[in-house]
């Protein structure tokens, strides 16, 4: 088990407020990812990190920022939440050789009202 | 952005039936992955395919990497109630970006 936890599991917030989601891993993996999942869209990459302080944008990065000050933590911030950011957010780590080695957290269900 | 076409979107099946789902792409992929997601959880890898023509099994699951490198299928034999969930295909394109299908929801008829 790769030891990946997300917090919080559920959150309701108001439009315009900042929100930070946390992803924590216990096994020192280099690559970490944030995805959002919406019906009919599968998983879409928001941002990813390839090391401490090394991050890059994904397919749907507008309105999101990330930070990785320690190997074990990857934070996703919605600077000013909008209703279109209501979604389920998943963190993942790349923990194996090849492209099959992704392990996902259990997700954070975010509702922006 | 680039997309995978995954079909069907959902399936109602009887317990014991075989299931088949597939993904297609307009461009060549280097890797095909199949994941399953249970309610309230993240996706879990079922099978990874790395070579064109490769056929791989994992218990009652069988997946193939298409010869054209533009498609893949997943078969489940003799379905059981715990097979319900959403199945996702994913693949890496020529730029090694990981692209996801929209998912196939499997539902067992009572």
């Amino acid at each position: 088990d790769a030891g990946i936890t997300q917090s919080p599991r559920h959150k309701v917030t108001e439009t315009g407020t900042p929100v930070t989601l946390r992803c924590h891993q216990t096994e020192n993996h280099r690559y970490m990812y944030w995805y959002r999942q919406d019906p009919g869209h599968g998983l879409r990459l928001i941002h990813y990190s390839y090391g401490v302080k090394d991050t890059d944008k994904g397919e749907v990065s507008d309105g999101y920022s990330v930070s990785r000050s320690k190997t074990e933590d990857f934070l996703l911030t919605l600077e000013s939440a909008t209703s279109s950011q209501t979604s389920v957010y998943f963190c993942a780590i790349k923990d194996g050789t090849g492209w099959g080695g992704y392990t996902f957290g259990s997700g954070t269900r975010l509702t922006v009202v | 952005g680039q997309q995978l076409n995954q079909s069907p979107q959902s399936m109602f099946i009887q317990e014991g039936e075989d299931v088949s789902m597939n993904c297609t792409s307009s461009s060549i992929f280097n890797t095909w992955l199949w994941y399953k997601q249970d309610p309230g959880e993240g996706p879990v890898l079922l099978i990874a395919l790395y070579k064109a023509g490769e056929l791989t099994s994992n218990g009652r699951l069988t997946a193939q990497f298409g010869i054209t490198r533009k498609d893949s299928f997943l078969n489940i034999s003799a379905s059981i109630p715990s097979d319900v969930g959403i199945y996702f295909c994913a693949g890496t394109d020529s730029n090694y970006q990981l692209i996801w299908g929209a998912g196939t929801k499997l539902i067992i008829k009572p």
Side-chain angles (χ1 to χ4, degrees):
Chain A
D1 191 352
I4 179 170
T5 56
Q6 291 184 232
S7 59
R9 289 296 311 271
H10 301 271
K11 186 168 182 66
V12 179
T13 192
E14 292 187 349
T15 298
T17 59
V19 177
T20 295
L21 310 182
R22 181 180 183 237
C23 178
H24 179 79
Q25 58 144 330
T26 59
E27 296 190 5
N28 220 30
H29 295 293
R30 182 180 172 195
Y31 286 87
M32 299 184 76
Y33 305 81
W34 275 108
Y35 286 90
R36 62 177 288 174
Q37 184 178 31
D38 304 288
H41 287 278
L43 287 154
R44 292 183 291 175
L45 182 64
I46 305 171
H47 282 278
Y48 66 98
S49 170
Y50 46 96
V52 173
K53 292 188 169 56
D54 291 324
T55 65
D56 207 347
K57 296 179 180 179
E59 177 189 358
V60 290
S61 60
D62 288 348
Y64 302 95
S65 63
V66 290
S67 66
R68 191 159 177 210
S69 58
K70 298 185 291 184
T71 299
E72 57 265 36
D73 289 324
F74 191 32
L75 304 180
L76 177 71
T77 297
L78 289 66
E79 302 290 347
S80 178
T82 67
S83 58
S84 64
Q85 294 176 311
T86 292
S87 186
V88 181
Y89 292 86
F90 286 99
C91 175
I93 57 175
K94 193 164 177 291
D95 60 1
T97 58
W99 285 94
Y102 281 78
T103 298
F104 286 82
S106 297
T108 295
R109 182 173 293 277
L110 177 69
T111 303
V112 183
V113 297
Chain B
Q2 191 172 163
Q3 287 189 325
L4 289 179
N5 296 311
Q6 185 172 352
S7 64
Q9 285 188 331
S10 61
M11 303 179 72
F12 288 83
I13 59 169
Q14 297 276 12
E15 184 175 348
E17 285 184 346
D18 295 343
V19 173
S20 185
M21 60 191 77
N22 69 83
C23 273
T24 60
S25 168
S26 57
S27 58
I28 289 172
F29 274 38
N30 296 311
T31 308
W32 286 96
L33 309 168
W34 285 94
Y35 284 81
K36 184 193 178 203
Q37 184 179 29
D38 291 322
E41 298 297 328
V44 174
L45 181 68
L46 298 174
I47 294 177
L49 303 159
Y50 297 104
K51 289 182 356 183
E54 182 179 353
L55 183 72
T56 298
S57 293
N58 179 3
R60 293 177 296 105
L61 278 59
T62 301
Q64 185 160 30
F65 192 141
I67 286 290
T68 65
R69 295 171 64 190
K70 293 183 179 181
D71 62 342
S72 178
F73 71 76
L74 175 70
N75 288 340
I76 305 172
S77 62
S79 56
I80 59 178
S82 62
D83 289 335
V84 298
I86 304 177
Y87 292 79
F88 290 99
C89 63
T92 56
D93 64 10
S94 56
N95 296 316
Y96 290 96
Q97 290 190 59
L98 187 62
I99 312 295
W100 291 80
T104 294
K105 189 172 185 178
L106 193 62
I107 304 158
I108 301 275
K109 293 178 193 172

